[in-house]
Amino acid sequence: MSSQSTTDPRPPRPLDGIVIADFSRVLAGPYATMLLADMGAEVIKVESPGGDDTRSWVPPVRPDGVSTYYAAINRNKKSIVLDFKDPDDLAVAHALSARADIVVENFKPGGLKRFDLDYDSVKERNETVIYCSISGFGSAEGATLPGYDLIVQAMSGLMSLTGDPDGPAYRAGISVFDVMAGLHSTIGILAALRYRSMTGKGQNIETSLLASAMSGLVNQTSAYVAGGVTPNRMGNAHPSLFPYEPLPTADNDLIVTAGNDGQFRKLVEVLGVPELADDERFARNADRTQRREELRPLLVERLKTQSAEHWFAKLNEVGVPNGPINTIAQGVQYAEKLGLAPIVQVGPTGQSVPGVRNPISFSGIEPRYDLAPPALGQDTDEIRSWLAATAAAAYGEK
């Protein structure tokens, strides 16, 4: 059933032959399984008769009416519709979990136990299975809590850091912890595959949005855990660096950063105020950070003499990190200008749809974009037939 034919002249992918039963929905799980599918895994997306929630998360939509949210995270998969309350459908789900190398699910912890699709039940049918459960708040005291990203952004502390110091808290512009949890799940699955190749043993993996948040907040959680400091909202300012924020120019704001003393010296030389690098008030990062309110107007005075585009070019010439605040469209266009080719065509020629490139580049491996995000249940008959043939072959071997 693999999307790569045995006569395919293209080089093999690292996960060719790996079958994933994807019982996940919405974002974290589907994002993880899509990344694995790009690397060759055969991902079978199991959906209820109502389909993945993101199918109805509109607008925006593609020209063919498909939700762009759903399309963003479901390429290279096949879709089967199964109603776990139907005995025949549940039997198919059991057969799929018995055949899969990997099972991914993001039901509430314990939610699949009544269908015998929890880890312990699946392991009885599939001793070496790698089973990854994704939740909002873990499987202990947080098991009953709903795991929406916005709630985790609030409860983790991220929203307390986002926004102006005297303004309301804001969420990030994307479901940042769903994405992090998907990435952490992918790392865990790949590590478990390696472990299984060494020991022959499967693995039960648990990730959660809150655990990903605790790790993903990096210096901010460390400030509290290691330094006893509770960080606060600072708008676009950085608690440990200056300059590291948008600063006004003659027309638009420009992100200007100086991550070390050498970069700061280059910055002020370009701005025409080289003496600031030797000023004892600003010579070291700790000094600049402490005296940011003194330094900011001195930098802004010079930046306002020219356009953002002018400074962008001049600062890049000497290696000072900086950049304009783009729209999403401008960001994609800039990635194209840099040769990152962010847009790919997904699906066979003549039927392909645009998508965003897998962010990982290898020297001798290319991610594939063979299958467009599937319509609800479009592969149900094919998958049922494949499972029946697989079961018959296994029975014949006994």
Side-chain angles (χ1 to χ4, degrees):
M1 197 180 68
S2 174
S3 58
Q4 183 176 13
S5 159
T6 55
T7 61
D8 193 328
R10 296 175 296 182
R13 294 168 294 183
L15 298 181
D16 280 343
I18 297 295
V19 176
I20 300 177
D22 184 4
F23 293 98
S24 68
R25 303 148 295 168
V26 188
L27 180 49
Y31 184 61
T33 56
M34 181 186 73
L35 295 178
L36 297 169
D38 291 347
M39 295 297 121
E42 184 83 49
V43 176
I44 299 173
K45 183 177 179 66
V46 179
E47 300 184 73
S48 70
D52 191 314
D53 288 354
T54 60
R55 289 183 181 274
S56 63
W57 286 9
V58 296
V61 296
R62 294 188 323 208
D64 59 4
V66 173
S67 160
T68 59
Y69 199 122
Y70 168 78
I73 47 178
N74 284 291
R75 65 171 173 246
N76 285 330
K77 302 178 185 181
K78 296 184 176 180
S79 171
I80 182 172
V81 169
L82 296 176
D83 182 352
F84 294 165
K85 296 178 182 179
D86 178 272
D88 179 63
D89 282 5
L90 184 57
V92 173
H94 287 170
L96 177 59
S97 69
R99 171 62 183 82
D101 296 282
I102 300 162
V103 172
V104 180
E105 61 90 11
N106 62 351
F107 286 70
K108 281 187 178 180
L112 287 177
K113 186 174 180 60
R114 64 190 176 115
F115 300 113
D116 290 333
L117 287 169
D118 58 302
Y119 171 68
D120 289 336
S121 300
V122 171
K123 186 181 178 183
E124 290 183 6
R125 298 186 290 269
N126 186 352
E127 186 176 355
T128 62
V129 70
I130 294 169
Y131 190 104
C132 179
S133 295
I134 306 170
S135 65
F137 295 91
S139 60
E141 285 77 4
T144 61
L145 298 175
Y148 282 91
D149 183 272
L150 178 58
I151 297 171
V152 178
Q153 287 196 35
M155 298 186 70
S156 66
L158 174 64
M159 288 181 65
S160 75
L161 304 175
T162 310
D164 292 328
D166 299 322
Y170 281 97
R171 73 175 185 91
I174 62 164
S175 295
V176 60
F177 294 135
D178 263 319
V179 173
M180 283 189 188
L183 292 171
H184 291 156
S185 297
T186 301
I187 294 168
I189 288 168
L190 294 175
L193 278 172
R194 173 61 175 154
Y195 182 77
R196 189 174 72 176
S197 74
M198 294 188 297
T199 67
K201 297 179 180 180
Q203 199 71 217
N204 185 19
I205 301 166
E206 289 191 23
T207 60
S208 71
L209 273 64
L210 187 59
S212 287
M214 294 296 98
S215 174
L217 285 167
V218 286
N219 58 299
Q220 303 287 20
T221 41
S222 179
Y224 171 71
V225 172
V229 175
T230 300
N232 298 307
R233 280 196 295 284
M234 298 180 64
N236 286 314
H238 193 288
S240 307
L241 290 172
F242 186 83
Y244 194 93
E245 61 187 58
L247 295 174
T249 69
D251 51 9
N252 299 313
D253 283 357
L254 184 72
I255 301 293
V256 178
T257 74
N260 56 55
D261 297 341
Q263 288 178 352
F264 179 70
R265 180 173 293 276
K266 291 179 180 179
L267 169 64
V268 294
E269 287 175 351
V270 170
L271 294 182
V273 282
E275 66 275 9
L276 293 181
D278 297 314
D279 189 318
E280 64 179 13
R281 295 174 299 167
F282 312 128
R284 292 168 297 277
N285 174 66
D287 302 322
R288 295 191 293 276
T289 302
Q290 183 178 1
R291 296 183 173 91
R292 68 178 73 211
E293 298 308 322
E294 295 178 52
L295 178 55
R296 184 185 288 108
L298 301 177
L299 300 179
V300 170
E301 181 181 8
R302 296 300 304 154
L303 287 165
K304 282 192 170 182
T305 63
Q306 297 287 347
S307 68
E309 184 177 356
H310 169 87
W311 293 122
F312 179 57
K314 292 296 184 182
L315 292 173
N316 278 338
E317 286 177 4
V318 298
V320 175
N322 76 108
I325 301 173
N326 287 334
T327 64
I328 294 294
Q330 291 169 328
V332 172
Q333 291 160 9
Y334 189 64
E336 289 179 320
K337 180 180 177 180
L338 296 181
L340 296 178
I343 302 174
V344 294
Q345 292 300 315
V346 183
T349 303
Q351 304 174 38
S352 64
V353 295
V356 178
R357 179 178 297 276
N358 186 297
I360 304 170
S361 295
F362 297 91
S363 60
I365 302 168
E366 278 294 326
R368 303 280 172 75
Y369 309 99
D370 297 333
L371 301 176
L376 179 61
Q378 73 173 35
D379 307 294
T380 296
D381 292 341
E382 177 190 356
I383 295 167
R384 281 177 171 270
S385 297
W386 170 71
L387 286 171
T390 300
Y395 181 79
E397 292 173 358
K398 293 182 179 180

